[in-house]
Amino acid sequence: MTVPGWVEHAIWWQAYPLGFVGAFPTSGEPPRPGEHRLRRLVDWFDHAIELGASGVALGPIFASRTHGYDTTDHYRIDPRLGDGSDFDHLVDEAHRRGLRVLLDGVFNHVGTDFPRYRDATPGWFSGDTFEGHSELITLNHANPEVADYVVDVMEHWLERGADGWRLDAAYAVPQSFWASTLPRVRARFSDAWFVGELIHGDYAAAVRSSTFDSATQYELWKAIWSSLNDGNFFELDWALQRHNEFLSVFAPLTFIGNHDVTRIASRLERPEHVAIALVILMTIGGVPSIYAGDELGFRGVKEERYGGDDAVRPEFGSPPLELDPFVVEVWELHRYLIGLRRRHPWLHRAATEAVRVENRGYVYETRSGDDRLLVALNIDDEPLRLSASKLGGARVEVIAGSGAPPPQMLERVDVEPHGWRILRPA
């Protein structure tokens, strides 16, 4: 199995369309099909380009009754968003700008309005609900007709211009199902990319047996924010060692925010640590994804209740937005670090190794072949003092950092409290 070459340069800007355009949840009258709300996303494509993204990863856009994950028709654009012509317009405008388009495929379960469920079609359903949600009915993945249906749906939208699929709740689907369906799709669309949503377990084994190209790196997401909040970089170091193991098999989809979790600006206890989380994301191997709004400092807390996702899936207005000084700082940092990553494409496959690890101070080398950088993180209230001789050279070049001076060669680097540096050994 060969991963498409374009993925090495992929940086996703992820959006949840139903929330983004105000289609769900909605107060008052729901959107009418003639409103063509899906096109509002196109208005933000230049924003994604300016950010430095190379692709747009979309949440569910197919017909459903509520939040998009209760699909009723995989061949129809949700009428609250628009219709097929709106999808074609979105893809054309994305590709015209050089942006890839990733779709969200909900193939573990369907909604109770799914025609074959309403008609009680024999053999299509397992009799289970998905994680106790009575309105989400699990498909029978042992049925060849279900496999043929999923293959046809994926091929249909790839034919219409999509570049790949995020496979929702892939952890709940038998890996043998993916192993039997994805190669059939690849036979026609060899340049498509498939990323499975995995949360727990042996990611590398699951990727191998399912034939995914990638998987969501929830282990690392959790380690980033909890190590910063707890003052425990040993947790992050352990997670990055695991991450190295995954990188030997596949390039994980990495993130510090998405549509299913509390936003990073709300999750972290200190605002300064948002920058450090982003530095980690952009200097390790994998395929990074930025959740729309995180680059603008959005806040939002996910709650475990009905409607608990609403705060992290807000409606966006029309660009450009007015930015206060704090938001400008967050935005510019995202642009700078994404730009740094694009100037160092080898980071896609880079492994990390700890140079110095303490509870509240961490220095790691990120490396691929002869290419390498050093990343120094300090979440202590005292400076982190580093000697170049202990970093692998007589001097180091400071190429980026919080409060960092212009690029220069130094024999010693002091990282201020709750600050960071990216260094290049001389």
Side-chain angles (χ1 to χ4, degrees):
M1 186 178 65
T2 302
V3 176
W6 59 265
V7 176
E8 182 175 352
H9 304 278
I11 298 173
W12 297 105
W13 183 68
Q14 186 215 349
Y16 173 75
L18 288 168
F20 196 100
V21 304
F24 180 85
T26 182
S27 57
E29 291 296 319
R32 297 180 300 277
E35 292 186 50
H36 303 285
R37 290 192 173 203
L38 189 61
R39 296 184 182 229
R40 292 190 192 175
L41 275 162
V42 175
D43 296 338
W44 284 83
F45 284 177
D46 289 339
H47 168 90
I49 291 288
E50 189 176 357
L51 176 66
S54 62
V56 178
L58 301 178
I61 60 172
F62 307 121
S64 70
R65 186 166 61 181
T66 59
H67 45 57
Y69 291 97
D70 53 343
T71 315
T72 60
D73 188 345
H74 290 89
Y75 293 99
R76 182 186 180 203
I77 297 299
D78 196 303
R80 294 171 295 175
L81 296 175
D83 55 30
S85 68
D86 300 314
F87 175 81
D88 295 338
H89 174 72
L90 181 146
V91 168
D92 289 345
E93 289 297 312
H95 288 173
R96 184 173 68 82
R97 292 169 170 84
L99 292 170
R100 301 278 177 170
V101 177
L102 187 72
L103 298 183
D104 202 344
V106 188
F107 301 125
N108 175 68
H109 50 269
V110 295
T112 52
D113 287 341
F114 189 71
R116 286 180 178 86
Y117 182 73
R118 286 203 318 262
D119 298 341
T121 303
W124 267 69
F125 305 97
S126 67
D128 298 325
T129 59
F130 175 58
E131 296 183 347
H133 299 285
S134 60
E135 70 280 6
L136 303 178
I137 311 302
T138 302
L139 290 163
N140 176 12
H141 297 96
N143 184 347
E145 291 183 10
V146 172
D148 291 344
Y149 175 84
V150 170
V151 168
D152 193 66
V153 168
M154 286 196 281
E155 291 183 344
H156 173 82
W157 294 104
L158 291 170
E159 184 76 44
R160 292 184 66 164
D163 295 286
W165 288 92
R166 171 194 178 270
L167 303 171
D168 181 68
Y171 56 86
V173 177
Q175 292 168 11
S176 58
F177 176 84
W178 300 120
S180 68
T181 55
L182 296 183
R184 294 168 60 187
V185 181
R186 284 194 184 93
R188 285 193 59 200
F189 299 95
S190 59
D191 208 36
W193 186 64
F194 302 88
V195 53
E197 184 192 16
L198 302 182
I199 300 177
H200 307 293
D202 187 339
Y203 293 175
V207 167
R208 284 194 187 99
S209 60
S210 63
T211 74
F212 297 150
D213 292 313
S214 182
T216 52
Q217 229 302 26
Y218 269 95
E219 277 190 14
L220 185 59
W221 161 78
K222 191 269 179 185
I224 289 173
W225 61 259
S226 63
S227 65
L228 294 175
N229 281 347
D230 296 345
N232 179 16
F233 274 132
F234 289 94
E235 178 185 3
L236 178 60
D237 184 60
W238 182 90
L240 285 175
Q241 291 178 49
R242 284 268 293 173
H243 191 65
N244 288 340
E245 296 173 15
F246 302 149
L247 285 163
S248 68
V249 178
F250 69 100
L253 179 67
T254 56
F255 58 94
I256 53 176
N258 66 29
H259 65 297
D260 278 331
V261 301
T262 291
R263 286 193 182 268
I264 191 67
S266 294
R267 176 70 75 175
L268 292 176
E269 295 170 1
R270 295 189 65 124
E272 313 97 299
H273 293 174
V274 172
I276 294 177
L278 184 64
V279 169
I280 297 166
L281 178 66
M282 287 301 160
T283 58
I284 60 172
V287 182
S289 176
I290 302 295
Y291 182 46
D294 282 358
E295 77 278 17
L296 299 171
F298 280 22
R299 301 179 66 85
V301 176
K302 176 185 172 70
E303 300 178 16
E304 296 301 325
R305 59 174 178 80
Y306 182 80
D309 295 312
D310 297 353
V312 298
R313 302 174 179 180
E315 181 175 1
F316 281 59
S318 298
L321 300 180
E322 288 191 21
L323 307 182
D324 62 33
F326 168 75
V327 174
V328 169
E329 184 177 339
V330 173
W331 164 252
E332 291 298 340
L333 180 63
H334 276 77
R335 290 185 64 215
Y336 178 82
L337 289 171
I338 291 172
L340 181 144
R341 188 177 185 95
R342 296 191 73 163
R343 292 191 300 273
H344 298 80
W346 56 267
L347 284 167
H348 169 77
R349 57 188 178 275
T352 60
E353 181 178 356
V355 175
R356 174 173 169 178
V357 57
E358 303 165 357
N359 284 337
R360 306 181 68 84
Y362 189 35
V363 182
Y364 61 87
E365 179 185 71
T366 183
R367 184 170 193 159
S368 178
D370 293 333
D371 296 306
R372 62 176 180 147
L373 293 172
L374 292 166
V375 181
L377 310 174
N378 182 20
I379 58 172
D380 200 17
D381 294 329
E382 298 295 327
L384 177 65
R385 305 190 186 281
L386 304 172
S387 169
S389 62
K390 294 185 178 180
L391 298 176
R395 293 184 298 173
V396 292
E397 179 186 9
V398 179
I399 63 173
S402 54
Q408 57 182 286
M409 303 297 294
L410 299 173
E411 295 181 357
R412 194 185 79 177
V413 175
D414 290 344
V415 183
E416 71 279 4
H418 307 281
W420 56 276
R421 294 287 188 277
I422 300 176
L423 311 167
R424 182 181 287 115

